[in-house]
Amino acid sequence: MTKKEKHAPRLRKTELRDKLIDFLSRQNRQAFNYKQIAFGIGATNPANRIDIINMLDTLAAADEIQEVALGKYKAMANRGSENVGIFSRRSNGRNAVIVDDEQILVAERNSMHALNGDKVRVMVSARRRGAEPEAKVVEIIEPKEQVFIGTLHIDGNYSALITDSKFLAADIIIPRSKLKGGKHGDKAVARIVQWRDEEMNPRGEVVDILGRKGENTAEMHAILAEFGLPYRYPQNVEKAADRISAGITPDEVAKREDFRNVTTFTIDPRDAKDFDDALSIRQLANGNYEVGVHIADVTHYVTPGSIIDKEARQRATSVYLVDRTIPMLPEHLSNGICSLRPDEEKLTFSAIFELDRKAEVINSRIGRTVIRSDRRFTYEEAQQIIETGEGDFAKEILALDALAKELRKRRYDNGALEFDRAEVRFDIDKDGHPVSVFFKESKDANKLIEEFMLLANLTVAEFIGKTPKGKKPKTFVYRVHDNPDPEKIANLSLIAQRFGYKVNAEGRAKEVNKSLNRLLKNVKGKGEENMLSILAIRSMAKAVYTTENVGHYGLALDYYTHFTSPIRRYPDMMVHRLLQRYFDKGRSADKLKVEDQCKHSSEMEQLAASAERASIRYKQVEFMADRLGEIYTGVISGVTEWGFYVELAENLCEGLVPVRDLADDYYDLDEKNYCLIGRKHGNKYTLGDEVKVQVARADLDRKQLDFALISDNGNPNRTLRPAKNHGRNQPSSSKKGKQKSRTHGGNKRRK
């Protein structure tokens, strides 16, 4: 800053106000903090900085500008004028239109029956003091293609779909001729074909019948359909896959590095069938180890633009529900030809490393190979060998484990984050009913595989991403993880301080991450563990695919991609093809096309994750429906204006204590401190508090558990009356007597 700038005159408040509003109105409704705004309007006098903070608060309170996040402001949407936005329909009647990230209410009478996700043109009303702004839909510009899931109700001449949707309160009237053979009580998929202005209910037609309501397969397919994910494979795609042969000919083998006589094995979950990675190991004459990370060579069989490739590209990922896998590729490929099954020759794409005993990479190479796996291990079998030192290939597994531990230690020393939250899984009977809960633990065997997959992904990303001086970078697919939200980290730091922990909210990423790891380690087993670990996770950005490499914050890596799972992830297939293209001296790929597919793959990954969580919630509700009236201890895992969520310590099932059931006071949400506070008595319900609850309701249609509060250790002087059982009738005892037949759960690694 120059001497002249230091002594710039202090702006008068009226002038400051006009400059603030003018600056924000010219920024295309982007949000800025006070420092950015001060710089933007040239207010460099230190006294004006305080004036700006106060003026921003005043303008936001008067609804002249909008505070979109703590300390970040932007201009309001134009009032009394037309705007274009995305319609948000909710079954509770709180419809809205999203205009430049601002949510504006839309009454049903002013909605033109727009559906959730429709692109609409709206007229925003001029703001009345003390009232929220409202908008009126004047045109549906771009309807969003969508379907609705629900249960058919057929009674006499009346037939309708009673929807499960949180986006649509009205039932869909279905003419008898459009039921597609559906019967009363069937779970079905329907679309809206007409919704007249004067009618309360839309009219539609059945797209598909999923099965009887309550049947496990019907409910799992309903979850997939809810998120727009496929639940069947097109027959023509499967037939095309069935015509593909393994094709491991002498000519093909001659083109590849041969690892068939090198000790090789797979380590996977016990219920896995798609073995997409294998490890080989042999000791070299110099005492170092050569470790091969061998990945199924899917792109040898799936050619660009083929019917199989188009289907895989659209799906973008396999989906792992509680009790089943919906594969990205037809089973003939995913579980057959491409799967690295033992005692079968397989074509692979590999990253080969020479490592010394400290796991330092002496050299590496990437290329196409052929392998023959000697053994298939489950994680449990490999873990047993690590713990006892005995078993098949014990020497090799122990050597890999030692190298993996060195790699992991170095990663954490370099600032990688270490989140290790338990995951809930279910033992289910032959009908899909959950009979018990267990927790998925990540042990040394899991971490062994993880470390070598990370090493391979890093090496491939560096191979393409590190551009020699004077050369243009080539288009590539990166797996990136952006920096966390600074305000969320700062808030976590403040809350952690209350419990006596220090989190570095500023400084180099390495130091911030080390302080986060230290926090997560120190809170283990303590009352505040749940709250602080949840806040730490929520402060993180989401990892995505893109051609723009910004590094992977969580792994503390400058270069990272996904190379190791092409059977279940389309971006890995893209990486394999780009690698071969550049090996063959091909020109850089079209960046816009690759970026479009990266964006689609990221979106499909999020949908798949949402479907997986929905299937877990469904099984949690189904499991707890057998336990209505029972009392559990848990911790508050989420706080909202409609109540607080409680995660049970015994089984990690989560349910809601509705604020309407807290009859002793009127509670307000304190978003900044993650708590509900009673206006009259000041009682608090805070994220991480331990509470005792009773299972009150189990709504399978909405996948929601309701709990009733029994006692609150945070308010020991207040006695609560036991909750009444507001749930449905106790399920029949026959369900409880069923024997479990298999174990299921999400079973693949994600980074």
Side-chain angles (χ1 to χ4, degrees), residues 83-103:
N83 287 270
V84 173
I86 302 299
F87 193 80
S88 173
R89 175 173 287 279
R90 290 294 181 269
S91 60
N92 62 6
R94 295 281 293 179
N95 301 335
V97 62
I98 313 299
V99 178
D100 295 325
D101 296 328
E102 182 185 355
Q103 185 167 288

Side-chain angles (χ1 to χ4, degrees), residues 251-380:
D251 286 346
E252 184 59 40
V253 170
K255 300 174 187 175
R256 297 168 177 260
E257 189 172 354
D258 194 343
F259 278 81
R260 289 175 295 180
N261 294 320
V262 181
T263 299
T264 304
F265 42 77
T266 61
I267 305 176
D268 282 283
R270 59 177 178 263
D271 56 350
K273 295 178 182 176
D274 53 345
F275 310 138
D276 49 14
D277 56 78
L279 293 177
S280 69
I281 182 170
R282 59 183 166 188
Q283 193 161 19
L284 303 176
N286 62 5
N288 292 339
Y289 288 100
E290 181 190 77
V291 176
V293 179
H294 305 287
I295 308 302
D297 193 356
V298 173
T299 56
H300 175 80
Y301 299 103
V302 181
T303 55
S306 66
I307 189 173
I308 300 171
D309 182 58
K310 288 177 180 176
E311 183 71 20
R313 186 173 67 222
Q314 182 59 35
R315 291 176 178 238
T317 180
S318 294
V319 184
Y320 296 90
L321 301 188
V322 165
D323 68 333
R324 68 195 64 207
T325 298
I326 296 82
M328 181 182 75
L329 296 168
E331 289 194 13
H332 180 64
L333 292 174
S334 61
N335 295 353
I337 288 176
C338 295
S339 185
L340 308 184
R341 299 183 299 197
D343 302 319
E344 295 180 13
E345 292 183 352
K346 296 289 180 180
L347 302 181
T348 46
F349 213 144
S350 306
I352 317 298
F353 304 93
E354 180 183 346
L355 301 166
D356 65 18
R357 292 184 181 276
K358 289 293 183 181
E360 295 285 353
V361 178
I362 307 304
N363 57 64
S364 64
R365 62 189 186 277
I366 302 166
R368 285 187 139 114
T369 55
V370 59
I371 68 166
R372 184 183 180 90
S373 175
D374 298 291
R375 175 76 148 79
R376 183 262 164 130
F377 289 98
T378 65
Y379 281 124
E380 291 78 10

Side-chain angles (χ1 to χ4, degrees), residues 619-639:
K619 290 302 172 188
Q620 286 179 330
V621 175
E622 193 177 11
F623 178 74
M624 296 305 292
D626 293 344
R627 292 152 181 83
L628 289 174
E630 294 185 11
I631 295 173
Y632 295 87
T633 297
V635 293
I636 296 177
S637 54
V639 184

Side-chain angles (χ1 to χ4, degrees), residues 130-145:
E132 290 188 76
E134 288 194 25
K136 179 180 181 179
V137 177
V138 295
E139 181 188 0
I140 299 175
I141 300 171
E142 191 178 307
K144 181 184 178 184
E145 187 69 29

Side-chain angles (χ1 to χ4, degrees), residues 406-424:
E406 291 288 344
L407 289 169
R408 187 159 63 252
K409 180 181 181 301
R410 191 154 61 244
R411 268 201 314 116
Y412 292 141
D413 287 345
N414 289 335
L417 285 170
E418 185 177 12
F419 289 113
D420 194 19
R421 294 234 332 138
E423 297 178 42
V424 64

